[in-house]
Amino acid sequence: MSITIPATLSRRSLLVGATGLVATAALRGAAADGAKPARQFKLVAVKGRVSLVGKRHPDTDVWCYDGRVPGPEIRARQGVPVRVIVENRLAEDTTVHWHGIRLPIAMDGVPGISQPPIRPGESFTYEFTPPDAGTFWYHPHADTPQQLGRGMAGALIVEEPQPIAVDRDLLWMITDWRLRSDAQVASGFGNGMDAAMSGRVGNTVTINGAISDRETVRAGERVRLRLVNGAAARIMALRFEGHRPMVVATDGQPCEPHEPEGGRVLLGPAMRVDLMFDMQGEPGRRYRVVDDFYEGLSYWLTELAYDTQVPLREHSLDAPLTLPRNPVPEPDLATAERHELKLQGGMMGGGGMAGMGGMSDASRATWAINGMSMTGDGQSGMAPLLILQLGRSYVLTLRNDTAWWHPMHLHGHSFRVLSRNGADVPHRQWADTVLVPPKETVDIAFVADNPGDWMLHCHVADHQMSGMMTVLRIA
């Protein structure tokens, strides 16, 4: 399928083919304090209209939270309880998954696994205490390709107990959209071609709900930039021309500060990266931010536009870049139990499927993990792929036997990314979503300290819906 959009959008155009289990009330090891009052929020899932592509084009019909794209930015604090009431005004079921938060299973938002779906006209209250500070996000886990692809997502920022020494804390929630020439979201969600290949990659990319021509900065300031890839399928590799950002956290978990490999910040769907910038550009100049992940389809996402003020300071801030560590348990690699998970299926180079399903319906099994396929958003009674012992350490080898990239997400836990193709991963990087390239392997390690039936799935929404999802049971 090809999509034609106005020339004014072509800068960002990449035309593409075609009930809940009972769990403990609080996560083990979390800094929950019953004396602290909960921070309360409300989200309303509803249809709306927003200006994605500028005033010269019609507003876009979207599905969203509170009539906004992205949804409201929720600011919580580490160790302080959160209470969110979600009201569903859509014509179909929905849920909310709090992506990356280590919370009790009953609050995880997977229909049929951790909670009943929120029916039209009904509400559900989510209550949890975030044990970790960092950059997280929220999105549906029901009719995922369509609800996410029409705009239902928002950022959840968990602040550290003590402020971090920066001049500004910025969020870029980056999303792509498959739009028609009239700026409306194209239909065709769940088609088999997307499901069997790279997923529904869009043709228009926005920052915080709009095409961005510039992001204003000032020379001499230190900026913490939180990047969230909220796309349903697009992988991004961002280069910041004329700048040397330092990666200080991945998926909300602090790491050793380092420059991104090759100067490119790699972001698969659902992944987050926190960057620190000492803005050393020239006042009045602009510097492009380029996404060049897809070969031959490079485009510029926005520009860092320096204002004309004198630099805020002549030299970089002396404060350290390292963020305080979160209380994530360290896996014992010497005693860890090891398992291999093979990612299988999809359209292969010769035009055939690797054993499962066809191409007419993304709800059919197109992908598998170790020969098992779970289609849809979650299925009650699905036999777990693995049964893990509560409190034990595990190493999982994710072996991608397919021709496509897979951002693999584990619910309810953060894990250490140990190695890629046998080579150690530096800088003590933790994650909850890891990008596994075609024909490569990634080793991850974690402590199974959170009881329940937890989803492990590809975060390309079409891949998840068509089989690349399974359950790990921790008991």
Side-chain angles (χ1 to χ4, degrees), residues 80-93:
V80 176
V82 171
R83 186 172 188 264
V84 187
I85 300 170
V86 177
E87 179 184 347
N88 183 11
R89 295 184 188 171
L90 299 174
E92 66 179 48
D93 296 350

Side-chain angles (χ1 to χ4, degrees), residues 241-416:
E241 294 182 348
H243 292 75
R244 298 177 64 181
M246 299 292 289
V247 176
V248 295
T250 54
D251 287 357
Q253 300 297 338
C255 60
E256 296 171 356
H258 62 279
E259 293 188 36
E261 184 177 355
R264 302 161 84 222
V265 180
L266 190 62
L267 279 174
M271 293 169 61
R272 292 91 62 213
V273 171
D274 285 28
L275 301 175
M276 289 288 193
F277 286 85
D278 287 312
M279 293 297 180
Q280 299 300 318
E282 298 178 20
R285 280 198 59 185
R286 291 190 177 196
Y287 301 83
R288 287 185 173 183
V289 181
V290 176
D291 176 6
D292 60 5
F293 177 79
Y294 296 101
E295 185 176 355
L297 295 173
S298 175
Y299 67 99
W300 56 280
L301 175 68
T302 188
E303 289 183 318
L304 299 178
Y306 279 76
D307 62 28
T308 57
Q309 297 182 76
V310 297
L312 183 63
R313 57 179 63 87
E314 291 298 327
H315 303 285
S316 298
L317 203 62
D318 285 337
L321 296 173
T322 305
L323 299 176
R325 287 194 61 190
N326 287 319
V328 183
E330 188 76 35
D332 183 350
L333 300 182
T335 63
E337 185 174 303
R338 296 173 180 263
H339 296 274
E340 181 176 85
L341 277 61
K342 294 182 180 180
L343 313 181
Q344 302 160 318
M347 177 64 73
M348 310 304 287
M353 303 299 293
M356 289 140 309
M359 292 181 55
S360 61
D361 184 355
S363 67
R364 296 177 60 184
T366 303
W367 305 91
I369 301 175
N370 285 8
M372 296 176 61
S373 298
M374 174 190 279
T375 59
D377 293 288
Q379 298 175 5
S380 60
M382 175 76 177
L385 180 67
L386 297 173
I387 299 178
L388 309 181
Q389 182 181 338
L390 183 64
R392 185 163 187 181
S393 296
Y394 290 88
V395 173
L396 302 182
T397 296
L398 305 177
R399 182 178 302 279
N400 186 355
D401 289 340
T402 82
W404 307 94
W405 294 69
H406 299 293
M408 299 302 296
H409 172 48
L410 175 61
H411 287 216
H413 297 77
S414 291
F415 49 76
R416 276 278 307 277

Side-chain angles (χ1 to χ4, degrees), residues 2-34:
S2 295
I3 303 163
T4 304
I5 57 177
T8 54
L9 305 188
S10 61
R11 181 163 62 85
R12 287 169 180 77
S13 298
L14 302 183
L15 301 186
V16 295
T19 295
L21 295 175
V22 176
T24 53
L27 181 65
R28 302 176 78 197
D33 183 350

Side-chain angles (χ1 to χ4, degrees), residues 60 64 69 129 139 158 168 175 222 326 345 399 466:
T60 303
C64 55
V69 170
T129 300
H139 61 81
V158 181
R168 284 198 294 160
T175 307
R222 175 171 288 182
N326 287 319
R399 182 178 302 279
S466 55

Side-chain angles (χ1 to χ4, degrees), residues 31 36-37 39 41 74-82 128-134 156-164:
K36 296 177 181 178
R39 291 193 172 188
F41 305 89
I74 294 178
R75 285 263 172 177
R77 188 168 291 277
Q78 186 177 19
V80 176
V82 171
F128 54 89
T129 300
D132 304 322
L156 170 58
I157 306 302
V158 181
E159 298 171 333
E160 294 85 359
Q162 300 298 323
I164 302 302

Side-chain angles (χ1 to χ4, degrees), residues 97 110-111 139-145 148 194-195 199 232 362-369 373-379 406-409 411 455-470:
H97 171 56
V110 179
H139 61 81
H141 221 285
D143 191 11
T144 309
L148 186 59
D194 284 340
S363 67
R364 296 177 60 184
T366 303
W367 305 91
I369 301 175
S373 298
M374 174 190 279
T375 59
D377 293 288
Q379 298 175 5
H406 299 293
M408 299 302 296
H409 172 48
H411 287 216
M455 309 305 301
L456 172 68
H457 65 87
C458 178
H459 221 284
V460 173
D462 287 307
H463 294 178
Q464 171 213 303
M465 291 289 287
S466 55
M468 193 166 283
M469 179 166 62
T470 192

